[in-house]
Amino acid sequence: MRGRALAAAGRVGSGGPGRWRGDFAMRASRLHLPTLRDPPKDGDTVSHQLLVRGGYIRRVAAGIYSFLPLGVRVVERVKAIVREEMNRAGALEVFLPAVVPAELWQESGRWEKYGPELLRLKDRKNAEFCLGPTHEEVVVDLARKDVRSYRQLPLNFYQIQTKFRDEMRPRAGLMRGREFVMKDAYSFDATVAGAHASYRTMYDAYVRTFERMGLAFRPVEADTGAIGGSMSHEFQVLADSGEDALVACGACTYAANVEKCPSPAPARASLPGDAGPSAIVATPGAKTIDMVCAALGCTPRQMIKAVLYEADGQPVAAFVRGDREANEVKVKAHLGAGLVALADAAWFAKATGLPPGYVGPVAADGSGALGGNGGLGHGGGVRCVADAEVMALTTAVCGANEKQAHRQGVVPVRDCSGLTVADIRMAVPGDPCPQCGAALRGFRGIEVGHVFYLGQKYSQAMNATFVAEDGTEKPFEMGCYGIGVTRIVSAAIEQNHDERGICWPVGLAPYPVVVLPLAIDGPQAATAEAIEAALEARGIDVVRDDRDERPGVKFNDADLVGYPLHIVCGRKAQDGVVEVKIRRTGERFETPVAGLVDRVAAALAAARAGGPLHAAALQ
RNA sequence: CGGGGCGUAGCGCAGCCUGGUAGCGCACCAGACUGGGGGUCUGGGGGUCGCAGGUUCAAAUCCUGUCGCCCCGACCA
């Protein structure tokens, strides 16, 4: 097919990687482009609705989608850019199995640890397998089989694969599906310094990758999570609809996930000489911070909020100021616990004898300081941790550890002693930048990439070693690096759409140009065909909307599908003049057909690096 | 996994409360007109009413169970 079309056009194809050329799909009537006028019922995320309405994807099951021809093209655009940048960075493409034998996961210990997100299967012999949600095990196995010496290092293997994670709740279309396409890379180095260099190389490659895609993004410092390790950055596409809360400094380059961003420790309040003892007051029915404030005439800032956790099966009470949010990641890090989750209220009550909703850092008998061993609950068995801000309060209101009651006039530095103090709150916009002190600004983001320094976690567990320069056997120093290919498709739309439809960045558009003949015969159609052929000959992917539809239908479909550049062949086509519209800006102007293809080629080439299409270059 | 909601034509929905010939808009097919932002008219085709039981002379409608899906939350290398 390809060869035939190229021959017919009498030229040699020169499409870059990831491009198809020369098939017959560029006529809209042959493109299978089932656009929908009404938004689908399945989900209300903008990008998902536009992908379905624009004829890119169809839902098959929860979190599982089919890609239509146009959808495939966008995915391939993403893959092509990712491949080029990975290859440029010296990574080597491999292709690992989607179905992975259980033994490998048992070896790393994750068969037990990973939980129900890991979709497990059995074959006909009853042997166990899983659908790979990530591929550390497989790639470590690959490396340990063939890499014996430091002389073979460093190595970086990557693949573009369909992953499966049996998410508890798939949502938002491609953004958080169960089946999704991901690029994952794994670096192997002989030394920590080498691993850091590999990390840096990947980081830089990611910056280039997302720039070329025309996305507004920010690399942010991220939590290293269960995996441990010391270095991790997320690449976040900035979008109000994003799931992740970020803070970034306006003055320097610092940016972080709010979970990761350290908060400053304010000075402890000094003990006021004239403070009276705290007292318990009845606050019937006051379940929320706001209700307590209304009842007692205080502000959330003056309150101490208890957040109850279950950490490795043990009850933990975390105290933060009433206007703050507890940061589970920091709590977990502080406790050094393996599993931390918000506690079930009934479980907590049963385990501690304390009334959830009325828990405070001062023992129920009101005698003042807590006992040595944490103090709270029967037997004093509840571990307590307070945010540093709590100890900076001069007086405060907190739960009384009695039902329907709070304690007023609490002086934390005096009354709270059986607890540890740490930074456990969520960072918020306005906090000082940990690097330069300027005020942080808040953003929301969609995580499209993640780079991670792993160290020896997997190589050690799986006994993947090489012989080092000094003759000793050492585990590989590793890093892993993911890019959510299909998620990018969604994220790009979240960031690039308007009320009419998608506004693809040139680098990601399924076709950068659409030609719209407003009549299906006569000079308008002839001009459109000529422009299509000329663009095609220049290696530019183009759709010609040859359908016998009214102009309004074609305009609306073109806007919905989101071709970056529209060439309209209307009445003036017979005089050699067409109209060009830039989808994103809505700019429109008439321009002579003569030389148009050159101008289009130049404008697209300029925009392909990630920049905008400029009207001036097209006129 | 907790809370809420929805399953009726390809898509979006009404009908259900109060049981009695399964409907509307868009899309689709044929024809005519029309032709710069989802146009008009005429005539058509298309439905196991999610599934399984039950009640009833009769069930889309009432009852029980079950499956699927969406939203909020919890969770997320």
Side-chain angles (χ1 to χ4, degrees):
Chain A
M1 189 96 111
R2 174 191 168 101
R4 181 174 143 206
L6 289 173
R11 75 203 132 68
V12 177
S14 60
R19 300 187 58 241
W20 302 264
R21 292 279 323 288
D23 57 22
F24 298 100
M26 63 285 296
R27 279 178 288 153
S29 62
R30 299 290 303 279
L31 190 50
H32 186 58
L33 184 53
T35 55
L36 304 176
R37 187 183 301 221
D38 300 314
K41 191 180 49 169
D42 57 337
D44 52 12
T45 307
V46 174
S47 58
H48 180 244
Q49 292 199 342
L50 290 175
L51 283 167
V52 173
R53 283 222 294 140
Y56 288 87
I57 61 171
R58 292 289 182 260
R59 195 188 64 78
V60 175
I64 300 178
Y65 296 88
S66 288
F67 286 76
L68 277 54
L70 232 48
V72 169
R73 291 190 72 102
V74 177
V75 171
E76 291 300 324
R77 297 278 189 228
V78 174
K79 286 185 188 172
I81 293 172
V82 168
R83 274 207 173 90
E84 285 181 14
E85 293 305 329
M86 292 308 291
N87 292 342
R88 186 203 303 272
L92 303 164
E93 183 161 8
V94 295
F95 192 61
L96 308 171
V99 175
V100 182
E103 301 98 72
L104 285 177
W105 279 68
Q106 284 157 350
E107 216 180 322
S108 72
R110 288 208 290 185
W111 185 258
E112 286 76 29
K113 278 185 205 156
Y114 207 87
E117 262 193 25
L118 186 65
L119 184 64
R120 294 151 216 255
L121 326 158
K122 284 182 183 174
D123 69 7
R124 63 170 73 204
K125 290 181 290 192
N126 228 22
E128 290 189 295
F129 293 85
C130 64
L131 284 186
T134 173
H135 281 74
E136 283 83 3
E137 284 81 0
V138 181
V139 80
V140 166
D141 180 57
L142 186 74
R144 71 181 170 183
K145 278 176 172 155
D146 299 314
V147 181
R148 300 263 63 96
S149 158
Y150 75 95
R151 290 169 183 273
Q152 292 166 277
L153 299 175
L155 272 175
N156 188 333
F157 293 128
Y158 79 97
Q159 66 166 343
I160 298 176
Q161 245 280 19
T162 297
K163 310 278 191 199
F164 196 95
R165 290 182 196 168
D166 199 356
E167 293 268 356
M168 234 181 255
R169 186 187 152 212
R171 69 183 86 179
L174 298 184
M175 206 90 85
R176 181 181 279 285
R178 290 192 291 174
E179 183 178 287
F180 56 97
V181 176
M182 178 168 160
K183 184 285 303 180
D184 46 327
Y186 306 89
S187 64
F188 296 85
D189 277 272
T191 63
V192 173
H196 286 188
S198 292
Y199 181 96
R200 188 71 215 175
T201 301
M202 283 293 107
Y203 182 104
D204 293 341
Y206 276 31
V207 170
R208 292 182 56 98
T209 300
F210 297 122
E211 275 174 358
R212 281 183 62 186
M213 290 177 186
L215 301 172
F217 70 99
R218 197 101 197 219
V220 304
E221 290 187 13
D223 174 44
T224 48
I227 239 171
S230 54
M231 257 197 306
S232 175
H233 286 86
E234 292 166 349
F235 286 75
Q236 295 272 0
V237 163
L238 303 179
D240 292 338
S241 59
E243 289 187 291
D244 294 337
L246 318 170
V247 285
C249 181
C252 73
T253 60
Y254 182 83
N257 197 305
V258 290
E259 292 180 341
K260 167 74 179 178
C261 181
S263 304
R268 287 171 68 94
S270 52
L271 186 61
D274 57 345
S278 64
I280 291 177
V281 287
T283 51
K287 289 177 183 164
T288 65
I289 295 282
D290 287 342
M291 289 163 82
V292 175
C293 288
L296 300 181
C298 61
T299 65
R301 270 187 82 105
Q302 300 170 300
M303 289 205 53
I304 301 172
K305 175 162 70 178
V307 184
L308 310 178
Y309 289 99
E310 178 178 352
D312 293 333
Q314 297 301 309
V316 172
F319 298 102
V320 294
R321 223 168 62 187
D323 60 332
R324 301 299 196 188
E325 241 186 295
N327 182 336
E328 196 172 303
V329 167
K330 290 181 182 176
V331 170
K332 185 174 170 181
H334 174 72
L335 296 175
L339 272 176
V340 174
L342 280 179
D344 176 76
W347 173 86
F348 192 89
K350 200 172 171 208
T352 64
L354 294 169
Y358 300 94
V359 174
V362 184
D365 61 12
S367 62
L370 299 173
N373 187 26
L376 281 185
H378 40 226
V382 184
R383 197 163 163 194
C384 296
V385 51
D387 186 74
E389 280 184 344
V390 168
M391 304 312 277
L393 293 169
T394 47
T395 63
V397 174
C398 65
N401 295 319
E402 286 175 19
K403 282 183 185 168
Q404 316 290 345
H406 282 79
R407 182 178 290 275
Q408 257 180 333
V410 171
V411 179
V413 289
R414 177 192 70 191
D415 300 337
C416 310
S417 61
L419 38 66
T420 52
V421 177
D423 166 22
I424 58 165
R425 75 169 171 94
M426 205 71 89
V428 292
D431 282 353
C433 169
Q435 236 165 58
C436 75
L440 293 171
R441 295 169 54 200
F443 298 90
R444 295 204 70 85
I446 301 165
E447 182 189 352
V448 293
H450 202 155
V451 294
F452 224 112
Y453 169 61
L454 288 175
Q456 303 181 341
K457 180 178 165 91
Y458 291 93
S459 51
Q460 218 159 46
M462 297 181 64
N463 197 28
T465 59
F466 63 97
V467 177
E469 205 168 352
D470 61 8
T472 63
E473 197 133 318
K474 288 182 176 167
F476 297 113
E477 281 290 331
M478 291 181 59
C480 69
Y481 318 92
I483 290 181
V485 171
T486 39
R487 180 181 278 187
I488 284 172
V489 175
S490 256
I493 296 173
E494 288 294 326
Q495 199 175 67
N496 298 285
H497 71 272
D498 58 22
E499 58 292 337
R500 306 195 56 79
I502 301 170
C503 307
W504 288 115
V506 169
L508 298 183
Y511 292 88
V513 185
V514 65
V515 181
L516 305 173
L518 297 188
I520 57 164
D521 47 24
Q524 305 186 16
T527 303
E529 270 186 66
I531 292 173
E532 178 205 353
L535 286 171
E536 237 280 309
R538 288 291 288 267
I540 295 169
D541 288 330
V542 53
V543 170
R544 172 168 55 94
D545 194 343
D546 61 331
R547 297 173 302 168
D548 185 9
E549 291 286 357
R550 299 176 62 85
V553 174
K554 296 189 183 188
F555 291 140
N556 281 313
D557 272 354
D559 286 343
L560 173 61
V561 168
Y563 310 96
L565 199 62
H566 305 185
I567 299 175
V568 181
C569 304
R571 289 199 189 90
K572 293 191 181 169
Q574 57 190 313
D575 307 321
V577 173
V578 295
E579 186 177 297
V580 170
K581 169 176 158 181
I582 294 173
R583 171 66 181 93
R584 181 186 301 277
T585 61
E587 292 166 279
R588 297 188 216 188
F589 46 88
E590 293 184 338
T591 187
V593 174
L596 174 64
V597 170
D598 291 329
R599 300 197 296 279
V600 168
L604 289 178
R608 223 177 274 283
L613 274 171
H614 289 296
L618 287 157
Q619 269 160 329

